[in-house]
């Protein structure tokens, strides 16, 4: 039986007809490897934003089902165009829309979740040696069959779901970066491409703002153990194709690095509540109303109390800062505090690695590296595979670079001019 490969092309990889032609060439080449190929495509770059703008302008109090009717079209255009380019190369191919399959989703328009993928039509195409080209990001509601979309960035999730349904050997995601890096190459020139990364690590990167894959697609791949490869479609393909980053299970994670990468997020703001009573229930009085207002709280520290009074510090995304203060002020009588101090000139720096689970001393080493650079740590949080610190944003580059070097992540073969 032939094996199946899913290839997904993101917006920049299908930005114009020239790029779409190049994608078709890559597909043709893989086909030559006697594989069944299902291709999943995004809208041409910028198109979804444009469609969303149209919707907003037409009626900013829009009905989400109609929003989906409009914004789902970008992917359909690409699917048709790519199929046409494949025909020109002499490949047998056809497009299959979400409603053709059908790919079923919940009824949550604009943010639907996939519930089932029917593969009968895809299989029929494979039996006839046809490549199938499927628009990502769309499905149909399992309530009323209307078109749904999966939330921005959702075509990654379409690709992974289709790979799982087809029992594919892998899901290759072609994007504008050639893999996942140990840190942001714009800050650390010696950043390395990570050849293999565990699903859990990838989830941490995604939640820290490294927007390579939609988080939900990684969760799905992890749940079904579907290997995902991140590649650049801009790299030359034939012969010189450099493999990207494989996202897979921890057991197959070759490199025994304690720390696989350093991530940072500038989207943090710090709030300190001063002179609180150190009595049972205080935290509930603070975080209850914040949660009710839909405000995300990330890092939290409470100081040791003196004279029954304490300070409590936490972080929220920058965009939630004003609302958080408003909520706290409104509840001042109930919470009882002397004042609030805020600081949005902060950055969260994290080191990530599944190796931390079984090793001690990683956090201590991180703190030592930062101390040696005289960088003050304001807040600390840890999970099993991550340590995060909040520091003044002026020190972002110094901290990221020092940690990258300190944990042995620098690519010393790279010549830095
Ligand atoms: N075109 C959609 C978006 O821009 C889906 C995707 O490309 O993943 O969000
Ligand atoms: Mg994307």
């Amino acid at each position: 039986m032939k094996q199946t490969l899913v290839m997904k092309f993101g917006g920049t990889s299908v930005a114009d007809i020239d790029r779409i032609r190049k994608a078709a060439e890559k597909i043709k080449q893989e086909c030559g490897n006697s594989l069944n190929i299902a291709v999943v495509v995004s809208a041409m770059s910028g198109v979804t934003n444009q469609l969303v703008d149209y919707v907003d302008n037409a009626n900013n109090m829009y009905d989400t089902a109609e929003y989906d009717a409009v914004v789902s079209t970008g992917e359909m255009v690409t699917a048709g165009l790519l199929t046409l380019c494949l025909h020109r190369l002499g490949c047998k191919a056809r497009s299959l829309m979400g409603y053709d399959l059908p790919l079923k989703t919940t009824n949550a328009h604009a943010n639907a979740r996939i519930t089932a993928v029917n593969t009968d039509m895809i299989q029929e195409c494979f039996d006839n040696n046809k490549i199938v080209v499927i628009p990502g990001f769309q499905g149909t509601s399992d309530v009323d069959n209307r078109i749904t979309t999966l939330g921005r960035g959702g075509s990654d999730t379409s690709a992974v779901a289709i790979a799982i349904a087809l029992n594919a050997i892998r899901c290759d995601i072609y994007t504008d970066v050639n893999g996942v890096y140990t840190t942001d190459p714009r800050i650390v020139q010696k950043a390395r491409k990570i050849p293999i990364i565990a699903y859990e690590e990838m989830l941490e990167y995604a939640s820290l703002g490294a927007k390579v894959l939609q988080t939900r697609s990684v969760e799905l791949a992890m749940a079904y153990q579907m290997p995902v490869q991140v590649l650049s479609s801009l790299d030359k393909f034939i012969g010189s194709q450099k493999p990207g980053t494989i996202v897979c299970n921890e057991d197959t994670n070759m490199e025994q690095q304690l720390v696989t990468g350093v991530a940072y997020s500038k989207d943090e703001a710090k709030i300190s509540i001063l002179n609180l009573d150190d009595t049972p229930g205080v935290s509930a009085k603070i975080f209850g109303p914040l949660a009710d207002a839909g405000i995300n709280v990330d890092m939290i520290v409470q100081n040791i109390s003196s004279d029954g009074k304490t300070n409590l510090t936490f972080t929220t995304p920058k965009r939630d800062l004003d609302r958080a203060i408003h909520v706290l002020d409104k509840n001042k009588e109930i919470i009882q505090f002397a004042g609030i101090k805020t600081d949005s000139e902060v950055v969260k720096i994290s080191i990530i690695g599944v190796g931390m689970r079984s090793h001690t001393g990683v956090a201590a080493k991180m703190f030592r590296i930062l101390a040696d650079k005289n960088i003050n740590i304001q807040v600390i949080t840890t999970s099993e595979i991550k340590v995060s610190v909040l520091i003044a944003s002026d020190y972002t580059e110094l901290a990221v670079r020092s940690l990258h070097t300190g944990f042995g992540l620098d690519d010393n073969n790279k010549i830095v001019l």
Side-chain angles (χ1 to χ4, degrees), residues 4-10 13-14 20 23-24 26-28 30-31 36-42 75 78-80 82-83 86 92-97 101 122 126 130-136 155 158-160 162-163 166 171-172 174:
T4 300
L5 177 70
V6 171
M7 302 172 77
K8 186 253 165 178
F9 291 89
S13 311
V14 290
I20 295 178
K26 279 189 206 301
I27 296 163
K28 184 178 179 182
E30 287 288 8
C31 239
N36 289 321
I37 307 272
V39 182
V40 176
V41 290
S42 284
E75 272 71 12
T78 321
L82 178 56
T83 307
L86 284 165
K92 283 168 72 177
R94 79 156 276 188
S95 61
L96 284 172
M97 302 301 151
L101 296 176
I122 303 176
F126 286 168
K130 272 189 194 154
I131 298 165
V132 297
V133 185
I134 304 165
S155 52
S158 308
V160 170
I162 289 165
L166 291 171
C171 181
D172 282 348
Y174 287 88

Side-chain angles (χ1 to χ4, degrees), residues 95-109:
S95 61
L96 284 172
M97 302 301 151
Y99 48 78
D100 289 328
L101 296 176
L103 184 149
K104 291 307 224 183
T105 72
T106 58
N107 196 39
H109 282 285

